[in-house]
Amino acid sequence: MHAGRTLSVQQNARLVELTSKTRSAAPAVVPVLTAQSRVWFNPDLVSRVYFVPGVIVNIIALVTIMLTSMSIVRGKGNRHHGAADGDPMKPLEIIVGKLLPFAVVGLFQVVVVIVAARLIFHVPIRGSFALLFGCTVLFLLSTLGVGLFISTISQTQQQAMMASFFFFMPAMLLSGFAFPIRNMPPSVQYMTLLNPLRYFMQIVRDLFLKGVGLTSICRKS
């Protein structure tokens, strides 16, 4: 009621001003501006457009961490380490040889999920595929490193599997996949800064929805 009365006073003042200037009858209708909200990048508010890109992050993280940790632990139990058997290969070469197949698996998963996102879920991809794969390689370095660390502290495959889930579940919940990070308590928001899934989640969503470039990604990171 108060807003309507204020608007009427403003209209009357405008009519008086126009009449005094033109010395003739002013138009009875005064243009009024109305503010309308607009949703960027996902104007139809389709949930799959927002969640499907995050599935890429979760699949890559879960599979690469579990495969890496369980495979190396299996080799430890079977005593297949080359250094222990007198193999001339260096420890770095052994580690790279064990991790490289899982990195290829992670990149293959990205291709599969992207194809499914386009053909099945019709999710737009506005960013660069080359930039997406480059960021995926950097993200794989962190997930493979976590899997390698888990394999060093585990003695059996069961321990490696449980440790992988123990790391993945909190990391997924704190990545912003299901709950926005800005809505979390401040102490938890600081904890997410140590979570590699948080950064890759933001990168993938920005590439899918916004089509950002390398400069924008580096600025946000």
Side-chain angles (χ1 to χ4, degrees), residues 20-206:
S20 61
K21 288 182 178 180
T22 60
R23 298 186 180 278
S24 61
V29 179
V30 178
V32 179
L33 297 177
T34 57
Q36 296 181 353
S37 62
R38 177 185 177 187
V39 179
W40 287 8
F41 312 120
N42 188 14
D44 297 330
L45 297 179
V46 181
S47 60
R48 65 173 180 270
V49 175
Y50 184 75
F51 282 104
V52 169
V55 174
I56 298 178
V57 182
N58 293 330
I59 290 179
I60 294 177
L62 179 61
V63 174
T64 53
I65 291 174
M66 289 191 62
L67 287 180
T68 303
S69 60
M70 296 179 65
S71 175
I72 297 179
V73 168
R74 180 182 179 183
K76 182 191 301 184
N78 295 335
R79 299 184 181 278
H80 285 167
H81 293 284
D85 297 337
D87 198 311
M89 296 180 61
K90 298 180 180 179
L92 180 60
E93 296 175 346
I94 297 175
I95 293 176
V96 172
K98 288 181 176 293
L99 298 183
L100 187 60
F102 305 121
V104 175
V105 171
L107 294 176
F108 177 74
Q109 289 176 338
V110 174
V111 176
V112 173
V113 176
I114 290 177
V115 173
R118 288 295 300 146
L119 299 182
I120 300 177
F121 299 100
H122 306 288
V123 177
I125 304 176
R126 301 186 175 96
S128 170
F129 287 97
L131 183 57
L132 176 60
F133 277 95
C135 295
T136 303
V137 171
L138 296 178
F139 178 66
L140 286 174
L141 295 178
S142 63
T143 57
L144 295 176
V146 171
L148 183 63
F149 173 74
I150 293 175
S151 67
T152 59
I153 63 176
S154 303
Q155 300 299 324
T156 63
Q157 287 186 323
Q158 290 78 10
Q159 293 179 1
M161 182 177 63
M162 294 301 297
S164 298
F165 276 107
F166 183 78
F167 171 84
F168 173 76
M169 294 305 297
M172 185 268 292
L173 294 175
L174 298 179
S175 65
F177 173 70
F179 311 103
I181 295 178
R182 62 179 177 272
N183 294 342
M184 299 178 183
S187 59
V188 179
Q189 293 185 27
Y190 285 113
M191 292 174 58
T192 62
L193 297 176
L194 301 175
N195 184 10
L197 275 72
R198 167 190 172 161
Y199 302 101
F200 192 53
M201 186 76 66
Q202 184 66 44
I203 290 173
V204 171
R205 283 175 171 168
D206 286 350

